[in-house]
Amino acid sequence: MNSLLGKRILLGVSGGIAAYKSADLVRKLRERGADARVVMTRSACEFITPLTMQAVSGKPVHVELLDYKAEGAMGHIDLARWADMILVAPASANFMSRVAQGQADDLLSTLCLAASVPVIMAPAMNQQMWLNPATQRNVALLKDYQVTLLGPGVGDQACGETGPGRMLEPLELIDALAKSFLSDRMSGLKVVVTAGPTREAIDPVRYISNRSSGRMGYAVARAASEAGGHVVLVSGPTAIDPPEHVRHCPVITAAEMHNSVMAEIDDAAIFIAAAAVADYRCNQAADKKIKKDNDELELLLKKTPDILAAVANRKLPPFTVGFAAETHSLSDYAQQKLINKKLDMVAANQVGENQGFDTKDNELEVFWSGGGVRLERAPKEKLARQLIHLIANRYHEKNTAQAH
Ligand code: PMT
């Protein structure tokens, strides 16, 4: 599978002799079907011209943070939202230091700091500079901030010295990038995902349900599968096809969804509840179609089983992620759910007229104990990949902490 196909890669080029390789990198990214856009620092322009990068990428190249013409077309916030991943190659010692110190004094460093997508850097510098304790401290800080470093390689350098500091070759970077999209972060893990609405019968022809299309949950299932997970998708009725490589368990009611999840959960490592489960069902559904003889009709409703709470309250629960769909006080309710339901993570979305339910785009506020992040408005597929990245990180952190 070509995991770079259709991926939006923002290639950052900082100042260094290895910048000449960036043009080849863009060409190879495009050959693999990726959509690449280039952002250069001013000092990178001393080594390779924006015109060259524009020619190979086929897209305008961005250099200035406050470029009124560019802001009109694709501003820096749009660029940060557009990307699936930011790759800085070459990443100079100076550039790495600026990002490690949280300095946003040009377009590329601002994008790295504003990114909610993975940031990868390919260091390139003189070997003494790489080995310098100041650089090594910055490397440690960047790793702490979840920046992934590819390289540097060891070998002959442009300055005539030999040692660590050489930027990896474009092909090596492309392979590593492709692998990170096929990230093995969930490799071998069983992931159970719920999606879509449930339907609770009123009589043989009517039911109580909601506007969930299943899009968000299906995107989460696909992203978990792309990350190497063995995914079981327990889904209420939807009009969309289940993703490839995912085991699909179709259900109709909340009770069926509950049973299906419980049958799968024993050996699951991660549970993600994206379904909009009906909170109530009819106490007694009529066995014949109800006639409209009366002006008013009362239905006695009964609570459905809370599937998420049932999973989180198990003796040995999997890493449990809930969604929170709210029309108001989103973060307050979401954080209450995190605590009250004993969740590892909650992804909160505002719902209402054209929001959350049955839309192409969404935005999420994600919370976990002691932290949180806002995932800006984006197509649900992209948000799902970002969410899976967060879940995998937290899952591994929790497991490492428990092992010690
Ligand atoms: O399907 P789409 O059209 O793409 O829309 C996506 C979505 C808005 C449905 C999705 O992003 C979302 O928010 N899903 C959860 C909807 C919901 O029911 O939220 P809630 O706040 O009412 O429930 C909280 C959590 O408890 C959810 O994880 C829910 O799956 C779970 N739950 C709720 C009730 C119940 N009986 N059992 C549950 O497991």
Side-chain angles (χ1 to χ4, degrees), residues 33 36 53 112 120 122 129 167 194 198 201-202 207 221 234 290 294 298 315 330 343-344 349 357 367 404:
M53 297 308 283
C112 289
I120 296 183
M129 288 172 81
M167 185 173 106
T194 66
T198 64
I202 297 173
Y207 55 77
V234 182
I290 300 172
N294 301 321
E298 280 186 9
K315 218 163 159 200
L330 181 65
L343 307 180
D344 291 295
N349 44 195
F357 283 95
F367 299 99
H404 288 114

Side-chain angles (χ1 to χ4, degrees), residues 194-197 210-217 254 257 271-280 304-309 321-326 337 341 343 347-351 355-359 362 364 380:
T194 66
N210 59 64
R211 289 167 40 211
S212 169
S213 62
R215 271 186 168 150
M216 191 71 235
M257 186 173 274
F271 175 61
I272 308 170
V277 187
D279 290 316
Y280 290 92
T304 55
D306 189 325
I307 304 164
L308 182 61
V321 183
F323 269 70
E326 307 290 350
K337 274 183 186 149
K341 291 201 180 187
L343 307 180
N349 44 195
Q350 187 87 30
V351 292
Q355 281 192 96
F357 283 95
D358 201 11
T359 52
N362 201 5
L364 294 173
K380 285 177 176 170

Side-chain angles (χ1 to χ4, degrees), residues 51-106:
L51 203 61
T52 306
M53 297 308 283
Q54 185 165 312
V56 287
S57 67
K59 299 273 165 49
V61 168
H62 304 261
V63 178
E64 300 299 335
L65 178 57
L66 297 172
D67 175 346
Y68 298 106
K69 262 197 306 192
E71 290 286 320
M74 188 181 248
H76 67 278
I77 296 298
D78 292 331
L79 265 177
R81 285 186 191 148
W82 169 86
D84 292 319
M85 180 178 278
I86 298 181
L87 167 66
V88 183
S92 67
N94 178 50
F95 183 76
M96 289 167 62
S97 163
R98 285 194 286 127
V99 177
Q101 304 310 318
Q103 285 182 32
D105 50 5
D106 68 0

Side-chain angles (χ1 to χ4, degrees), residues 8 26 29 46 50 63 109 139 158 162 193 195 245 282 297 334 376 394:
R8 298 160 165 188
V26 172
L29 280 169
E46 304 285 333
V63 178
S109 53
V139 165
T162 305
V193 180
H245 313 300
C282 282
L297 171 71
E376 296 292 342
R394 298 290 310 161

Side-chain angles (χ1 to χ4, degrees), residues 282-356:
C282 282
N283 191 35
Q284 188 67 59
D287 55 2
K288 294 200 180 70
K289 183 180 171 192
I290 300 172
K291 289 290 166 196
K292 50 177 187 182
D293 299 334
N294 301 321
D295 284 347
E296 289 181 350
L297 171 71
E298 280 186 9
L299 295 174
L300 181 61
L301 302 182
K302 208 173 166 192
K303 253 196 176 157
T304 55
D306 189 325
I307 304 164
L308 182 61
V311 171
N313 281 301
R314 285 168 69 90
K315 218 163 159 200
L316 287 173
F319 188 92
T320 305
V321 183
F323 269 70
E326 307 290 350
T327 52
H328 59 282
S329 308
L330 181 65
S331 20
D332 287 349
Y333 283 134
Q335 290 180 72
Q336 279 171 27
K337 274 183 186 149
L338 180 75
I339 296 167
N340 296 344
K341 291 201 180 187
K342 298 192 199 143
L343 307 180
D344 291 295
M345 190 182 271
V346 67
N349 44 195
Q350 187 87 30
V351 292
E353 204 55 38
N354 296 324
Q355 281 192 96

Side-chain angles (χ1 to χ4, degrees), residues 2-9 33-36 84 181 226 385:
N2 176 10
S3 63
L4 289 176
L5 187 69
K7 294 294 182 321
R8 298 160 165 188
I9 314 283
D35 187 357
D84 292 319
F181 275 114
E226 281 172 4
R385 284 199 292 272

